[in-house]
């Protein structure tokens, strides 16, 4: 199969994870999500608590190596910049290995300009997102609404830190789709049809 990459960004509660996994399963290609990327980040020496702080918008200053200029990746002078740099490098390396699906992780922005890239953003009406979170987390509507609001704020901060752009910017995506119209399977199939057409997949 010729190389191509599909990135799936989503609003929390819009079932983007399930849709991305369905696409990967149907096309028979790897799916990389937060757990995949974070596991590799930990392997290269950046603890999960550091990434959690970065994604919360905190700047984490590290210690420069004596006699070396601050600001270089290798000197840990700014752990925030290092954590962001490492994640970008991991995503680019995974994307270079072969056809795959990325779920979240600002992969659409990080891989921008790459050939044979389809960037999708999945959203849903607030009432549907709340309903989905109520069912998946056994929450009340009030708690689900608050939970989604906090997630939206965190994802916005993270995307801004990683890309310098607004998470809602449509110009970096090829397709925006409301998952409540077709459901998980239908939305995945719609995206697969588009991918097969533009990438000429048999």
């Amino acid at each position: 199969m010729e190389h191509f990459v599909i990135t799936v960004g989503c609003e929390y509660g819009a079932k983007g994870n399930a849709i991305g996994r369905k696409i990967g399963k149907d096309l028979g290609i790897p799916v990389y999500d937060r757990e995949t990327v974070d596991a590799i980040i930990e392997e290269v020496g950046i603890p999960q608590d550091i990434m959690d702080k970065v994604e919360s918008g905190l700047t984490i200053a590290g210690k420069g190596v004596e006699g070396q200029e601050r600001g270089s990746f290798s000197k840990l002078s700014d752990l925030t910049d290092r954590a962001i740099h490492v994640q970008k490098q991991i995503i680019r390396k995974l994307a270079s290995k072969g056809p795959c699906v990325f779920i979240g992780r600002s992969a659409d922005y990080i891989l921008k300009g790459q050939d044979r890239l389809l960037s999708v953003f999945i959203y849903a009406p607030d009432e549907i997102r709340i309903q989905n979170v109520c069912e998946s987390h056994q929450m009340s509507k009030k708690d689900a609404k608050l939970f989604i609001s906090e997630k939206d704020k965190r994802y916005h901060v993270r995307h801004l830190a990683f890309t310098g752009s607004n998470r809602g910017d449509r110009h970096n995506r090829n397709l925006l789709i409301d998952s409540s119209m077709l459901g998980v399977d239908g939305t995945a199939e719609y995206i697969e049809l588009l991918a097969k057409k533009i990438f000429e997949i048999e």
Side-chain angles (χ1 to χ4, degrees):
M1 186 183 295
E2 197 170 345
H3 193 176
F4 65 90
V5 176
I6 300 173
T7 66
V8 179
C10 60
E11 290 183 327
Y12 196 86
K15 298 202 171 182
N17 280 348
I19 292 166
R21 294 183 204 290
K22 180 75 165 56
I23 294 169
K25 181 179 179 181
D26 291 348
L27 296 180
I29 59 178
V31 176
Y32 303 123
D33 57 10
R34 174 176 181 166
E35 286 71 26
T36 309
V37 175
D38 284 1
I40 299 173
I41 288 172
E42 283 202 73
E43 283 182 16
V44 300
I46 299 180
Q48 184 61 51
D49 64 321
I50 294 292
M51 289 306 300
D52 288 342
K53 289 176 182 177
V54 170
E55 296 195 3
S56 296
L58 298 176
T59 297
I60 309 159
K63 295 181 179 180
V65 176
E66 187 176 354
Q68 294 179 330
E69 183 180 352
R70 287 178 62 86
S72 170
F73 164 74
S74 63
K75 295 146 185 89
L76 314 187
S77 59
D78 186 334
L79 293 181
T80 303
D81 287 345
R82 179 171 188 256
I84 290 172
H85 177 81
V86 167
Q87 178 159 308
K88 287 180 177 179
Q89 293 298 100
I90 289 168
I91 288 172
R92 289 177 183 132
K93 186 171 182 178
L94 290 172
S96 70
K97 294 171 71 174
C100 60
V101 176
F102 279 97
I103 300 174
R105 305 290 86 192
S106 301
D108 60 325
Y109 184 90
I110 293 168
L111 299 175
K112 184 178 180 180
Q114 177 174 302
D115 291 337
R116 297 173 66 80
L117 174 68
L118 173 60
S119 294
V120 178
F121 189 80
I122 297 167
Y123 65 97
D126 286 346
E127 60 270 20
I128 299 297
R129 297 170 67 200
I130 291 169
Q131 178 184 329
N132 289 339
V133 170
C134 284
E135 293 173 357
S136 62
H137 292 67
Q138 282 76 55
M139 286 182 173
S140 67
K141 286 187 176 181
K142 181 179 178 181
D143 288 343
K145 185 175 181 179
L146 180 60
F147 187 72
I148 288 171
S149 176
E150 290 301 316
K151 286 288 187 180
D152 284 348
K153 288 176 185 176
R154 176 168 179 152
Y155 289 167
H156 173 72
V157 168
R158 180 193 177 282
H159 191 80
L160 189 62
F162 274 72
T163 71
S165 65
N166 191 307
R167 185 166 171 260
D169 185 4
R170 68 187 183 279
H171 294 98
N172 210 42
R173 281 104 182 205
N174 305 117
L175 176 70
L176 286 78
I177 185 167
D178 177 354
S179 60
S180 69
M181 292 191 301
L182 299 173
V184 171
D185 290 352
T187 303
E189 289 168 9
Y190 186 89
I191 296 168
E192 290 162 24
L193 284 172
L194 178 60
K196 288 176 180 178
K197 186 173 182 63
I198 63 176
F199 298 140
E200 299 180 342
I201 303 169
E202 294 295 333

